[in-house]
Amino acid sequence: LVLGDITIVGTGTVSVVNGSDVWVFGHSLIQAGEVNYPMLSAETHGVVPSRWSSFKLAGTGELIGTFTQDRLSAVYGHLGQTPEMIPVRINFKKNGQKQNLNFYIVKHDKLAPILLKIILDNVLAEFSDDQECSIFSKGEISTTDAKPKPFYFSEHGFGLKTKIEDYYAKRLETVIGADNSDSEDSKLKRNKLDTRNMRKSIQIEEINISLSVSESSK
């Protein structure tokens, strides 16, 4: 779901390989329907047995394809196909020290804001809402059909870690909602179909965030 300086993946059993077609898990990942997940090679290092819930200790390798369906009975994809993902660039400045971080997150209208929030939570792992600090941030979300949408956040005080994470998740939700808006005619046509498992197209090209955090006085 996330590749780069922070990786968030799900590993499981390969059920069937037929040419370039691959079925895995024998169950859903999150049952998101039509998807665009990257497919990675993986190696199991061991199994932790448990009477309640056994699990594998695994590590992932190179990109080998794309999963296109996440259904109740299996996750399905194709070897050799490159997934479409959203690049996320974060220029992070912590108490004067700079760090550039790069990620790719899946293009999915429900998952993308959640994953962006998780990324920021990991980037800010050294801070907590109980600390008094100053945060300044400028972000841009670039789309295919509009100029980059800039956002600004500047505050000093407590509880800012959660606040900045929620701020960017909400901004991304807003942009996705605008990109997925339809004409009334399109809505009427789509209402005649069962669209519970259809994923809306997201035309987001890139997310850039400059984030500065300081524990010094205001």
Side-chain angles (χ1 to χ4, degrees), residues 161-181:
K161 182 174 184 286
T162 298
K163 197 168 183 179
I164 189 70
E165 295 165 9
D166 291 339
Y167 175 82
Y168 273 109
K170 188 63 178 178
R171 298 289 77 74
L172 184 54
E173 286 178 0
T174 301
V175 173
I176 289 172
D179 285 345
N180 287 334
S181 61

Side-chain angles (χ1 to χ4, degrees), residues 14-182:
V14 177
S15 302
V16 177
V17 178
N18 183 12
S20 62
D21 297 326
V22 180
W23 290 262
V24 300
F25 292 6
H27 54 78
S28 63
L29 180 62
I30 59 172
Q31 201 171 337
E34 183 182 348
V35 295
N36 205 323
Y37 300 156
M39 183 192 302
L40 308 177
S41 63
E43 180 180 358
T44 299
H45 303 296
V47 177
V48 179
S50 170
R51 186 172 297 176
W52 291 275
S53 179
S54 299
F55 60 92
K56 301 178 181 70
L57 299 174
T60 55
E62 62 181 343
L63 178 70
I64 58 174
T66 301
F67 290 112
T68 57
Q69 299 290 330
D70 181 2
R71 303 291 178 174
L72 177 64
S73 57
V75 178
Y76 166 78
H78 310 274
L79 292 168
Q81 183 174 319
T82 303
E84 294 182 12
M85 303 186 76
I86 302 173
V88 179
R89 321 291 185 198
I90 299 180
N91 298 317
F92 184 44
K93 186 176 181 182
K94 177 184 64 177
N95 293 326
Q97 296 181 336
K98 296 182 180 180
Q99 187 178 18
N100 294 322
L101 303 168
N102 298 283
F103 313 91
Y104 292 89
I105 62 177
V106 294
K107 281 192 172 183
H108 192 280
D109 56 351
K110 301 298 182 184
L111 285 175
I114 297 171
L115 295 172
L116 182 58
K117 183 174 180 178
I118 292 172
I119 287 173
L120 290 171
D121 187 63
N122 278 270
V123 170
L124 297 171
E126 295 182 36
F127 300 91
S128 76
D129 284 337
D130 295 327
Q131 289 177 275
E132 183 179 8
C133 62
S134 296
I135 293 183
F136 174 77
S137 181
K138 176 188 176 182
E140 286 187 348
I141 299 178
S142 301
T143 60
T144 54
D145 56 351
K147 294 181 179 180
K149 299 173 175 60
F151 307 104
Y152 298 91
F153 182 98
S154 180
E155 286 196 31
H156 175 88
F158 295 92
L160 298 187
K161 182 174 184 286
T162 298
K163 197 168 183 179
I164 189 70
E165 295 165 9
D166 291 339
Y167 175 82
Y168 273 109
K170 188 63 178 178
R171 298 289 77 74
L172 184 54
E173 286 178 0
T174 301
V175 173
I176 289 172
D179 285 345
N180 287 334
S181 61
D182 298 313

